[in-house]
């Protein structure tokens, strides 16, 4: 039975929600993040602050929460030519993918996470990837991650499970999941402490959290928040 998990935790809304999901489900949970020269590096500063407040606000989860691992991957920025690793305009390329797509990023993340999990006796990897309202990244697709699960299991000769609890839900339902898991307190924690903005703006405050308000990540987060609030209002 799988009772120990490693969450790919960036400091964003999705991964923070997945962290709460894992803490609600497993007996022991650790986290892993990646410094790959991302333009929105402020997310790395948000990671420990959010976890610290999570421990304080939810002590029954706090005792399950183990070590955090931060890996430095400057090589990913060196081989990438994207709007997430370079100061350039966010556009769509001729192949239909946004310029924020970092080729191989999630594949590399899961490979390294699996190596850490193997050493730490963690058999479940949890990621916030989603096909329902995502940026078109092929390495966020369910088929990609199912394939990764098989490959990692074979390569490590161990049973590795990849869980993606947000795969088939949109951003509004992601906020709803946070509320189901930890009530309004968790929603407010994720709203104020997590970071999504591609441009790294964590100073401009909106009703849905901090961000520039115009990049695709901010627009998606804002739209999901407003749909979530509208559903709450309609239910009252």
């Amino acid at each position: 039975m799988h009772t120990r998990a490693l969450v790919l935790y960036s400091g964003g809304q999705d991964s923070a929600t997945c962290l709460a999901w894992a803490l609600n489900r497993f007996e022991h949970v650790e986290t892993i993040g990646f410094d790959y020269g991302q333009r929105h590096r402020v997310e790395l500063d948000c990671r420990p602050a959010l976890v610290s407040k999570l421990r304080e606000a939810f002590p029954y989860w706090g005792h399950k929460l183990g070590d955090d691992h931060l890996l430095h991957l400057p090589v990913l920025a060196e081989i990438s030519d994207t709007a997430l690793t370079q100061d350039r305009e966010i556009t769509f390329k001729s192949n239909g993918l946004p310029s924020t797509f970092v080729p191989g990023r999630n594949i590399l993340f899961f490979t390294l996470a699996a190596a850490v999990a193997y050493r730490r006796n963690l058999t479940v990897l949890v990621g916030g990837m989603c096909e329902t309202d995502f940026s078109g990244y092929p390495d966020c697709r369910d088929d990609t991650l199912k394939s990764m699960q098989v490959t990692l299991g074979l390569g490590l000769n161990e049973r590795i499970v990849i869980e993606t609890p947000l795969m088939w839900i949109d951003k509004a339902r992601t906020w709803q999941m946070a509320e189901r898991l930890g009530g309004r307190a968790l929603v407010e924690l994720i709203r104020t402490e997590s970071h999504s903005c591609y441009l790294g703006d964590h100073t401009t405050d909106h009703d849905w959290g901090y961000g520039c308000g115009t990049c695709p990540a901010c627009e998606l987060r804002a739209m999901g928040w407003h749909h979530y609030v509208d559903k709450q209002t309609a239910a009252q």
Side-chain angles (χ1 to χ4, degrees):
M1 183 175 177
H2 300 283
T3 61
R4 294 169 58 85
L6 180 63
V7 178
L8 279 69
Y9 169 57
S10 67
Q13 174 194 353
D14 292 345
S15 66
T17 304
C18 286
L19 176 56
W21 179 89
L23 288 167
N24 194 57
R25 189 180 185 95
F26 301 106
E27 295 177 3
H28 178 81
V29 176
E30 298 186 14
T31 51
I32 188 167
F34 305 93
D35 182 352
Y36 60 96
Q38 57 266 54
R39 186 174 176 183
H40 53 304
R41 196 182 184 284
V42 67
E43 69 177 2
L44 299 180
D45 299 325
C46 295
R47 294 177 74 254
L50 197 156
V51 166
S52 177
K53 293 184 178 182
L54 185 72
R55 288 182 186 274
E56 181 180 332
F58 302 93
Y60 52 92
W61 284 346
H63 78 274
K64 295 182 177 184
L65 192 52
D67 292 345
D68 178 49
H69 312 272
L70 182 63
L71 302 187
H72 300 275
L73 304 176
V75 66
L76 194 53
E78 291 176 16
I79 64 174
S80 299
D81 183 23
T82 78
L84 276 197
T85 53
Q86 308 287 335
D87 185 8
R88 60 181 55 185
E89 183 183 2
I90 298 174
T91 60
F92 278 86
K93 298 182 179 181
S94 58
N95 61 4
L97 292 177
S99 59
T100 51
F101 172 58
V102 182
R105 182 181 62 166
N106 284 341
I107 296 170
L108 181 59
F109 285 179
F110 271 106
T111 301
L112 294 173
V116 172
Y118 181 90
R119 176 172 58 85
R120 304 285 297 176
N121 192 31
L122 307 166
T123 60
V124 182
L125 304 178
V126 182
M129 297 74 192
C130 168
E131 275 200 34
T132 303
D133 59 7
F134 72 136
S135 299
Y137 302 158
D139 57 356
C140 285
R141 296 179 301 191
D142 188 54
D143 285 348
T144 302
L145 299 178
K146 281 187 168 63
S147 175
M148 283 292 299
Q149 176 175 285
V150 173
T151 299
L152 292 171
L154 290 172
L156 295 173
N157 199 32
E158 294 283 349
R159 173 65 169 156
I160 297 290
V161 176
I162 293 179
E163 293 278 9
T164 52
L166 309 184
M167 182 58 70
W168 306 115
I169 66 175
D170 60 19
K171 282 290 186 291
R173 290 172 65 192
T174 299
W175 288 114
Q176 289 174 333
M177 177 184 286
E179 183 175 1
R180 286 196 305 271
L181 289 167
R184 290 293 302 172
L186 181 60
V187 171
E188 184 64 9
L189 180 62
I190 294 174
R191 187 189 74 82
T192 57
E193 298 296 333
S194 69
H195 180 85
S196 300
C197 177
Y198 282 156
L199 302 187
D201 183 346
H202 201 73
T203 59
T204 307
D205 193 10
H206 305 270
D207 54 354
W208 44 264
Y210 291 97
C212 69
T214 59
C215 75
C218 284
E219 290 178 347
L220 191 59
R221 178 163 168 158
M223 181 175 63
W225 172 263
H226 293 142
H227 287 169
Y228 161 69
V229 170
D230 287 346
K231 288 180 181 179
Q232 278 192 319
T233 303
Q236 291 175 354

